[in-house]
Amino acid sequence: MSQKLQYIDWGLIDYKDAWEKQKVLFDALIEQKTHVGARHAPHLQQQFIVCEHPHVYTLGKSGQINNLLINDEFLKKINASYYHIERGGDITYHGPGQLVGYPILDLEQHNLSLKKYIFCLENAIIRTLSDYQIESSRIDGATGVWLDADGKTPRKICAIGVRASRSVTMHGFAFNVNTDLSYFSHINPCGFRDKGVTSLSKELQKPVDINDVKQQVFTHFQVII
């Protein structure tokens, strides 16, 4: 476990503001990593950022715009915004009640490949769901965390989309806790047309304290990496 992983909670923050703040931290870590020797690199500050966003749709660099099923006028009507960004993955939704995580890490200091890092993110969510007696897993070829993955009603509860440069990460995961799932009806989530979405509160049939979930995910993630 890294002693240099700082937990930061930005609360409810506009997506563009969070994106810009992320990039400052991301660029700073790359800059520091470039100018210090390997001997000092383990002492660089790394962040595990959590937050929530107002309603917004984001499309990854390899995503298809036709997976957004509404036009600009309708976006305004539902009080949502849209951004095409540099992370991996297709289209997803962020909104109040959804736990969004932005770990800014130097993967080399954790001996992680990008693939293994994504596996760690998924594991942290899977273990958190297990805390609530909810069984979850992965689907081959579909990054993220799913319920009933091999059953008749596969549904995604956490999306993952990451960018890495010089082994430094940004973007991360979006875990549906108390999310208004109706907003997913306006997209093909992560490019899938034949699978559903769900939330922790929907599965438990009651609201969940998102601050508790934030701490649980962070705790599990620290142990895993």
Side-chain angles (χ1 to χ4, degrees):
M1 182 180 75
S2 172
Q3 299 300 315
K4 290 290 181 179
L5 189 56
Q6 179 185 18
Y7 178 85
I8 301 173
D9 188 346
W10 284 342
L12 182 66
I13 182 173
D14 180 80
Y15 185 84
K16 185 178 180 182
D17 292 342
W19 188 8
E20 291 173 349
K21 290 178 72 172
Q22 260 195 97
K23 287 192 287 186
V24 169
L25 294 170
F26 173 78
D27 291 341
L29 183 53
I30 291 177
E31 180 76 9
Q32 292 167 33
K33 183 180 175 183
T34 301
H35 287 90
V36 303
R39 180 179 177 183
H40 300 288
H43 301 289
L44 296 177
Q45 183 67 69
Q46 301 169 76
Q47 292 87 18
F48 187 93
I49 299 161
V50 293
C51 63
E52 298 174 63
H53 294 307
H55 304 297
V56 60
Y57 296 100
T58 69
L59 183 69
K61 59 186 178 181
S62 59
Q64 301 295 317
I65 186 58
N66 58 3
N67 283 321
L68 177 64
L69 308 177
I70 54 178
N71 57 27
D72 290 345
E73 183 178 343
F74 197 83
L75 277 171
K76 293 178 182 178
K77 184 177 179 180
I78 61 173
N79 197 30
S81 53
Y82 163 79
Y83 293 97
H84 192 177
I85 60 176
E86 74 276 63
R87 64 159 169 79
D90 205 285
I91 197 163
T92 195
Y93 159 78
H94 302 307
Q98 182 190 71
L99 167 52
V100 179
Y102 297 131
I104 300 178
L105 305 180
D106 178 8
L107 296 181
E108 290 180 337
Q109 295 306 316
H110 300 279
N111 296 312
L112 292 172
S113 65
L114 184 59
K115 183 176 180 180
K116 287 182 178 179
Y117 167 64
I118 291 172
F119 191 87
C120 289
L121 286 177
E122 291 169 337
N123 264 355
I125 303 300
I126 289 169
R127 292 186 184 187
T128 300
L129 288 166
S130 181
D131 292 340
Y132 292 90
Q133 289 74 54
I134 294 176
E135 184 177 349
S136 59
S137 60
R138 302 171 177 82
I139 292 179
D140 288 342
T143 301
V145 178
W146 300 77
L147 275 56
D148 198 29
D150 300 318
K152 295 182 179 179
T153 58
R155 51 205 187 273
K156 179 173 270 192
I157 196 165
C158 181
I160 292 176
V162 174
R163 179 193 174 196
S165 177
R166 296 184 63 85
S167 296
V168 174
T169 66
M170 66 180 292
H171 301 296
F173 64 89
F175 180 15
N176 295 327
V177 179
N178 300 310
T179 315
D180 181 350
L181 299 176
S182 68
Y183 276 79
F184 285 99
S185 66
H186 305 309
I187 61 173
N188 294 317
C190 300
F192 292 100
R193 294 175 172 82
D194 59 343
K195 295 178 176 64
V197 292
T198 190
S199 68
L200 184 55
S201 61
K202 181 178 180 180
E203 297 298 323
L204 296 175
Q205 294 295 297
K206 63 180 182 180
V208 182
D209 187 331
I210 195 168
N211 291 314
D212 288 345
V213 180
K214 289 174 181 178
Q215 292 291 337
Q216 286 167 275
V217 173
F218 178 57
T219 298
H220 287 305
F221 183 74
Q222 286 190 103
V223 171
I224 291 166
I225 64 167

